[in-house]
Each structure stands twice: as C-alpha cells, then as structure tokens.
Amino acid sequence: MAEDFQDKNRELHAEIERLKQRISELETDKNLPSASKMEQQVDVTPIDQADVTLRRLVQRIAMILQAEKIVIMFHDREMGDLKGIPPAFGVDEIHLNAFKVRATHGVSGKVFREGDPIIYQDIEKLEEAREEPFGLMHVKNGVCVPLIIERRDEENRVVEKSTIGVLHAFNKKHNEEFNDEDVRLLERMARNVGSIIANLQMYREIVEEKEELAQTFESLTAGLLLVSTDRRLLQINATARAIFQAPQDSLGKNVEDIVKDTAFLGAIEKSLDGAEPGKVETHLTIGGHERIYESQFASVLGQDGKGIGVVAILADVTEIRNIDRMKSSFVAMASHELRTPLTAIKGFSSTLLDGLDDELFDKADQREFLGIVVGECDRLRRLIDDLLNTSRIEAGESLKPNYTHVDIRTLLDKAQKVQQQATHKHIIKLDIQGELPALIVGDEDKMDQILTNLLNNAIKYSPNGGDIIIHAKAEGESLVIGVKDQGLGIPKDHLLKVFERFHRVNNEDNRKIYGTGLGLFLVKHLVENVHFGKIWAESELNKGSDFIFRIPSNINIEEAKRVTD
Ligand code: ADP
C-alpha cells in the first residue's frame, strides 16, 4: 500500500516536472507567447488568426491544468446573462449553448461580480452551484476565475480594468484535485483569453461598422469611387457602377479598365499628384438619355498623413443643367416674343403717323393698320400676363379665381369661332359626345384661357395645317375636354415635361416655332389648382397630339373659394 502510494507520488512528481517543462516550452514558443508577453502581444495578433489562437489556447489550458473541460462564459450586458461561448474544450455545442446563468447567480455570477477565483473539490457542497446547470457538464470539481481585460498606458500601467466574463476548468484528470497553482495559472491564462475575446469583439464591431458603411455607400444616390494610389478601385457603389457600366466585380481592378472618360481619369491623376483638379463634367448616355454628372475629387489621407488614394463623388446635375439651359433659351425667346409685337406696333403706328399729313392712307388701310397694332398689343399683354402669373405661381400664390356658373357649351363654341378666325390652314371642329351639363362651376375667364392656350398650341405646332378637334364629354361627375391636332407630335419622354415651366421640345421642327415654354405650365395650374382637375397629353410623333383635361363639373362654389383663398 505504502509502495503504491510512493509510486503514485513519484509519478505525480514526474508529471509535474513534465508540465513545468511544457510551460516553459510554451512560454518561449513564438506561436503561444508567455502569459505576460501575450498581454502585450494579443493586440497585434492578426485578427483572422485570433479565433484559431483562442481555440489553441483553450486546448492548452486544458492540457496544462489537466482539466477534462474548459468553458468560457461571456457576459451579455443586454440580457444580464453569463453564457458559454465557443471555443470550449471537452464540451459539445449543444451543452455549451445551454450553459448559462444570470450574472447575479451561481458560482459564475459570484466570480464575475466579486472578481475572486473559486476553487472547489466537490460541486455538491457548493451552495451557489445549485443555481447553475453544472449537472449538464457532469462537473465534479473545478476552478473558476474572472475574465479580465486591462487597458494599459505607455508605461504599462493599468488604466482601465473590466471583467467581461469567467473562465471555468472542470474535472481534474486522474481523479486529482485542483490546487492553488492551477488557480494562479488559470488566472494568467484568463487575462490572455480576455484580451483575445476583446480583440475579436472589437474586430466584429469594426466589421459590422464597415458593412454598415459599405451599405450606406452602396445606397447613396450620388456615385462614389475610391481609387488607390496604384490606381486600383477600392470602392465603387451601385450608382457609380451604373454610371460607368462597371461589372459587379470591379473592386481591385485598374480604374482605367472600368472608367473610359479621359477628363475623369485626368482629374484622378491630378488629385493623386496632390493637385486640386476642380470639378469635372461627364456626359453619358444611359438608356438612350443623356445624363450629365458633375464630379468632385478629394485626396484621402491615412492616419499617418500619407495618401491612400482619391475619392470621387459624382452628382447627377442633368436637371439643373436643363433648367439653366431652359432659362437661357427662355431669355432669348422672351426677348424675341417681346420684340416681335413691338416691331409691328412701332412699324404700323409710325407708318400711320408719317402718312397723317399727306393723308396717304384711306380709312380701310388705317383700320387694318390699327387692327394689327391692337392685336399685337394684346399679344404683348398676354405674354406679360404669362410672365407675371408664372412668377406668382412660383412664389406660391394661386391665381385668384372668380367662380361662377359657366355655360360650357357656349364657351367651347366661342373658343372654336375665335381661333378659327386666326387660321386658314386649319379646320377647327367641335365634337361633343352626348349631353354636357348646362352649367358647370368654374372661373369662366380662366377656362377660356385654358382652351385658348391649347388651341393656340395646336395651331402653332401643326405648321402644315390639318384638323383641330375640340372634343368634350360628360363622364359621371366630371367633364372631359380635349384639343386634338394633326401636328408635329411630342416625343414620349417629353409628355410630362411639357407642363414644366420653360420646357420646350428641342428638336429641328420646334426650334423654328417661337414660344416661352410657359403656356402649358400655366394651363396645368389653372386646371389643377383652380379647377381641381387633371391634365395630360397623348401624342404620336409626326401624327399629332391630344391635350386632355378632366375637371369636376359640380364643385361647391363656397368650398372651392375656401380652398383657393
Ligand atoms: P410654348 O408653346 O411657349 O413653347 P408651352 O408651355 O405652351 O410653351 O408648350 C411647351 C412645349 O410643348 C412647346 O414648346 C412644344 O414643344 C410642346 N407642345 C405644346 N403643345 C404642343 C402641340 N399641340 N403639339 C406639339 N407640341 C406641343
């Protein structure tokens, strides 16, 4: 018996020696730095190896302590739990997931809260253990130490210390008991485990942040491109890919393989050279439409102040440029529109004046000349009214309506007759389907303005003549009226835009026809805001257009006044 005991004792000593040997081996092993070395080194553990390092470390703890099982418990601050997280040793995933306890309870909770290790030789005798599912692990004895992370200053002084969980070693092998040496060892290892976990945690947060950022970049409406100093694409978002028709896997490729615009590439070069490239305008045809992008460039510097690359942001300025273009063509048009009637007025009145003394012109001539002068004055007034009304609408004012009961049939007749007098090339017809209501509520003048404008356009944009049909029908509580011509027609992509202010279809035929691009803008306002209706255009190029509006026929006058007041 005594011999047996001595044998056993010798064996144990040999085992301890072996272990000590192994520890010193491990401490000099580059792959697994010593506990003290590691505290500083975990910070530089390549993050993609941190998982592997941690798993290896857990295995080695098991080996050094001769423990059957090792479990790391992490404190979930949101839930207030301590729970088993991988990697573990000698415990499968299911058991690990089930191993958790409130941070206020159990052996783990006590170690976590108080920061002191616990060593126990018989779990049955440990009161706190009853609050924790140790039965799951078939625990007999064990050691539990806090998982602490420390932040140190340059002089290696601990400036911050926090406990993030606990580390358990269960069931010493060979029916032995854990001792103080094991506690000391486990405490040292726990600091390394803590650092690696903290590192991993930080890494995961950074990855999440990076993903969030990437997603924000991806969904930006502006195009975004990041080019490295060696001209590779580090980042290109969906808008930029669409602009440059770049494939999904453009990252890492040379920017010149993706972007063909020389001005854009030139600006990137300039920016990489540290120069200020200014703004660059890129014209591209996307889906058959010309789009204009304005790009701005900025160098991106790393923390060390060295250049990492260039970021380019592309903003779609097509609409802004269009408005600019429209405004300048409007100025040209408006001056022409103002000058034409003035020239006629001046010409005819001076002619009349010159002939006054010598009685050069008879009454018929005088009537004709004065008629032209009056007509041109009306044209001038209309133009000035259009300009004033547009600026009123732009200032957010409505054009003051004067609601009455309007005899729509008579109004349509009058419009047809007046406009027919203005053209010989066209035949203007009235096509009324079914019965129209005898009276509708509306502003008679403004309704007349709508019809006059649409008829004027129908005449203007059918330079080769043809039929112009004013069609009208009652549809339930509404009235649908349209003006249909056989003229130039409107390209599909302009059908909505012609109602925008200053918008004119800019093609060969239209350019010869003068206008300000304000008529339909005002018509739309009169239909929608004064008469609570809707207007739209249907058209086929070179066949003709139909401008149709639908207005309610029985609006309540008082209600309408209240809305438009
Ligand atoms: P303007 O006639 O002074 O240019 P409008 O606002 O009345 O301004 O019309 C805007 C544009 O819509 C016109 O420049 C023209 O290109 C197009 N348009 C309007 N009416 C017609 C029509 N009946 N047929 C063809 N194009 C039209």
Side-chain angles (χ1 to χ4, degrees), residues 457-458 460-461 485 489-490 498 503-505 510 515-521 545 547:
N457 277 353
K460 220 162 62 165
Y461 296 103
D485 63 50
I490 300 168
V498 288
H503 190 91
R504 309 199 71 232
V505 177
N510 271 289
T516 54
L518 293 177
L520 288 177
F521 172 70
S545 314
F547 281 83

Short mmCIF file of all heavy atoms in Angstrom, two decimals, residues 457-458 460-461 485 489-490 498 503-505 510 515-521 545 547, ligand 1:
data_model
loop_
_atom_site.label_atom_id
_atom_site.label_comp_id
_atom_site.label_asym_id
_atom_site.label_seq_id
_atom_site.Cartn_x
_atom_site.Cartn_y
_atom_site.Cartn_z
N ASN A 457 -51.62 76.44 -79.20
CA ASN A 457 -50.54 75.46 -79.37
C ASN A 457 -50.86 74.52 -80.52
O ASN A 457 -49.98 74.20 -81.33
CB ASN A 457 -50.35 74.64 -78.10
CG ASN A 457 -49.47 75.37 -77.10
OD1 ASN A 457 -48.90 76.41 -77.40
ND2 ASN A 457 -49.36 74.81 -75.90
N ALA A 458 -52.11 74.04 -80.57
CA ALA A 458 -52.50 73.10 -81.63
C ALA A 458 -52.23 73.73 -83.00
O ALA A 458 -51.73 73.07 -83.91
CB ALA A 458 -53.96 72.72 -81.46
N LYS A 460 -50.13 76.37 -83.56
CA LYS A 460 -48.69 76.66 -83.66
C LYS A 460 -47.87 75.42 -84.03
O LYS A 460 -46.97 75.47 -84.85
CB LYS A 460 -48.22 77.18 -82.30
CG LYS A 460 -47.26 78.30 -82.38
CD LYS A 460 -47.13 79.09 -81.08
CE LYS A 460 -46.65 78.33 -79.90
NZ LYS A 460 -46.21 79.19 -78.78
N TYR A 461 -48.20 74.31 -83.41
CA TYR A 461 -47.37 73.10 -83.60
C TYR A 461 -47.92 72.15 -84.67
O TYR A 461 -47.55 71.00 -84.73
CB TYR A 461 -47.17 72.39 -82.25
CG TYR A 461 -46.38 73.26 -81.29
CD1 TYR A 461 -47.02 73.96 -80.26
CD2 TYR A 461 -45.01 73.46 -81.46
CE1 TYR A 461 -46.31 74.79 -79.41
CE2 TYR A 461 -44.31 74.31 -80.63
CZ TYR A 461 -44.95 74.97 -79.60
OH TYR A 461 -44.24 75.81 -78.78
N ASP A 485 -54.81 67.68 -82.34
CA ASP A 485 -54.34 68.22 -83.62
C ASP A 485 -53.66 67.14 -84.45
O ASP A 485 -53.52 66.00 -84.00
CB ASP A 485 -53.39 69.41 -83.37
CG ASP A 485 -52.13 68.99 -82.61
OD1 ASP A 485 -51.49 68.00 -83.03
OD2 ASP A 485 -51.78 69.64 -81.59
N GLY A 489 -46.53 66.49 -83.09
CA GLY A 489 -46.47 65.45 -82.05
C GLY A 489 -45.37 65.75 -81.04
O GLY A 489 -44.56 66.66 -81.22
N ILE A 490 -45.35 64.95 -79.99
CA ILE A 490 -44.40 65.17 -78.89
C ILE A 490 -43.71 63.85 -78.56
O ILE A 490 -44.38 62.83 -78.41
CB ILE A 490 -45.16 65.67 -77.63
CG1 ILE A 490 -45.88 66.99 -77.93
CG2 ILE A 490 -44.23 65.84 -76.43
CD1 ILE A 490 -46.86 67.42 -76.88
N VAL A 498 -43.51 68.71 -70.77
CA VAL A 498 -44.00 69.92 -71.44
C VAL A 498 -44.83 70.80 -70.50
O VAL A 498 -45.00 71.99 -70.75
CB VAL A 498 -44.84 69.61 -72.71
CG1 VAL A 498 -43.97 69.12 -73.83
CG2 VAL A 498 -45.97 68.64 -72.41
N HIS A 503 -40.13 74.51 -70.22
CA HIS A 503 -39.76 73.32 -71.00
C HIS A 503 -40.31 73.40 -72.42
O HIS A 503 -41.50 73.55 -72.63
CB HIS A 503 -40.25 72.04 -70.33
CG HIS A 503 -39.67 70.83 -71.00
ND1 HIS A 503 -38.49 70.25 -70.59
CD2 HIS A 503 -40.07 70.14 -72.09
CE1 HIS A 503 -38.20 69.25 -71.39
NE2 HIS A 503 -39.14 69.16 -72.31
N ARG A 504 -39.42 73.25 -73.37
CA ARG A 504 -39.83 73.22 -74.77
C ARG A 504 -39.16 72.01 -75.41
O ARG A 504 -38.04 71.66 -75.07
CB ARG A 504 -39.38 74.50 -75.51
CG ARG A 504 -39.76 75.78 -74.80
CD ARG A 504 -39.71 76.97 -75.74
NE ARG A 504 -40.78 76.92 -76.73
CZ ARG A 504 -40.60 77.04 -78.03
NH1 ARG A 504 -39.40 77.17 -78.53
NH2 ARG A 504 -41.63 76.98 -78.86
N VAL A 505 -39.88 71.35 -76.31
CA VAL A 505 -39.26 70.23 -77.01
C VAL A 505 -38.23 70.82 -77.95
O VAL A 505 -38.52 71.74 -78.72
CB VAL A 505 -40.31 69.42 -77.80
CG1 VAL A 505 -39.65 68.30 -78.58
CG2 VAL A 505 -41.36 68.88 -76.86
N ASN A 510 -39.44 72.12 -83.87
CA ASN A 510 -39.91 73.01 -82.82
C ASN A 510 -39.10 74.28 -82.70
O ASN A 510 -39.61 75.31 -82.32
CB ASN A 510 -39.87 72.29 -81.47
CG ASN A 510 -41.15 71.57 -81.22
OD1 ASN A 510 -42.17 72.19 -80.97
ND2 ASN A 510 -41.12 70.27 -81.34
N GLY A 515 -41.73 80.43 -78.73
CA GLY A 515 -42.60 80.29 -77.56
C GLY A 515 -41.75 80.44 -76.31
O GLY A 515 -40.52 80.41 -76.39
N THR A 516 -42.40 80.58 -75.18
CA THR A 516 -41.63 80.80 -73.94
C THR A 516 -41.59 79.55 -73.07
O THR A 516 -40.85 79.49 -72.08
CB THR A 516 -42.29 81.92 -73.10
OG1 THR A 516 -43.66 81.55 -72.93
CG2 THR A 516 -42.18 83.25 -73.78
N GLY A 517 -42.42 78.56 -73.38
CA GLY A 517 -42.46 77.36 -72.53
C GLY A 517 -43.23 77.59 -71.25
O GLY A 517 -43.10 76.84 -70.29
N LEU A 518 -44.07 78.65 -71.24
CA LEU A 518 -44.83 78.94 -70.02
C LEU A 518 -46.30 78.55 -70.15
O LEU A 518 -46.97 78.29 -69.15
CB LEU A 518 -44.75 80.44 -69.69
CG LEU A 518 -43.37 80.94 -69.30
CD1 LEU A 518 -43.41 82.44 -69.07
CD2 LEU A 518 -42.88 80.24 -68.05
N GLY A 519 -46.79 78.51 -71.41
CA GLY A 519 -48.23 78.29 -71.64
C GLY A 519 -48.78 77.08 -70.90
O GLY A 519 -49.73 77.19 -70.12
N LEU A 520 -48.18 75.91 -71.13
CA LEU A 520 -48.73 74.68 -70.53
C LEU A 520 -48.55 74.64 -69.03
O LEU A 520 -49.34 74.05 -68.31
CB LEU A 520 -48.09 73.44 -71.18
CG LEU A 520 -48.55 73.15 -72.62
CD1 LEU A 520 -47.80 71.96 -73.18
CD2 LEU A 520 -50.05 72.92 -72.69
N PHE A 521 -47.48 75.30 -68.56
CA PHE A 521 -47.26 75.37 -67.11
C PHE A 521 -48.44 76.09 -66.46
O PHE A 521 -49.01 75.65 -65.46
CB PHE A 521 -45.94 76.12 -66.84
CG PHE A 521 -45.69 76.43 -65.40
CD1 PHE A 521 -45.39 75.42 -64.51
CD2 PHE A 521 -45.75 77.74 -64.93
CE1 PHE A 521 -45.16 75.70 -63.16
CE2 PHE A 521 -45.52 78.03 -63.59
CZ PHE A 521 -45.22 77.00 -62.71
N SER A 545 -51.09 65.53 -81.55
CA SER A 545 -51.18 65.46 -80.09
C SER A 545 -52.61 65.70 -79.65
O SER A 545 -53.39 66.33 -80.36
CB SER A 545 -50.31 66.53 -79.45
OG SER A 545 -49.05 66.57 -80.05
N PHE A 547 -54.32 67.09 -76.11
CA PHE A 547 -54.19 67.57 -74.72
C PHE A 547 -55.56 67.47 -74.07
O PHE A 547 -56.51 68.09 -74.54
CB PHE A 547 -53.69 69.02 -74.68
CG PHE A 547 -52.21 69.11 -74.90
CD1 PHE A 547 -51.67 69.09 -76.18
CD2 PHE A 547 -51.34 69.17 -73.83
CE1 PHE A 547 -50.30 69.14 -76.38
CE2 PHE A 547 -49.98 69.22 -74.00
CZ PHE A 547 -49.45 69.20 -75.28
P1 ADP B 1 -44.50 77.39 -75.80
O1 ADP B 1 -45.51 77.00 -76.79
O2 ADP B 1 -44.50 78.85 -75.49
O3 ADP B 1 -43.15 76.86 -76.09
P2 ADP B 1 -45.98 75.73 -73.93
O4 ADP B 1 -45.80 75.57 -72.47
O5 ADP B 1 -47.32 76.08 -74.41
O6 ADP B 1 -44.86 76.74 -74.40
O7 ADP B 1 -45.55 74.36 -74.57
C1 ADP B 1 -44.38 73.74 -74.17
C2 ADP B 1 -43.82 72.85 -75.27
O8 ADP B 1 -44.70 71.76 -75.50
C3 ADP B 1 -43.74 73.52 -76.60
O9 ADP B 1 -42.53 74.25 -76.73
C4 ADP B 1 -43.83 72.37 -77.57
O10 ADP B 1 -42.54 71.80 -77.70
C5 ADP B 1 -44.73 71.39 -76.86
N1 ADP B 1 -46.12 71.47 -77.33
C6 ADP B 1 -47.16 72.12 -76.73
N2 ADP B 1 -48.30 71.92 -77.40
C7 ADP B 1 -48.00 71.12 -78.45
C8 ADP B 1 -48.75 70.54 -79.52
N3 ADP B 1 -50.06 70.76 -79.66
N4 ADP B 1 -48.08 69.78 -80.40
C9 ADP B 1 -46.77 69.56 -80.28
N5 ADP B 1 -46.00 70.05 -79.29
C10 ADP B 1 -46.59 70.83 -78.38
#
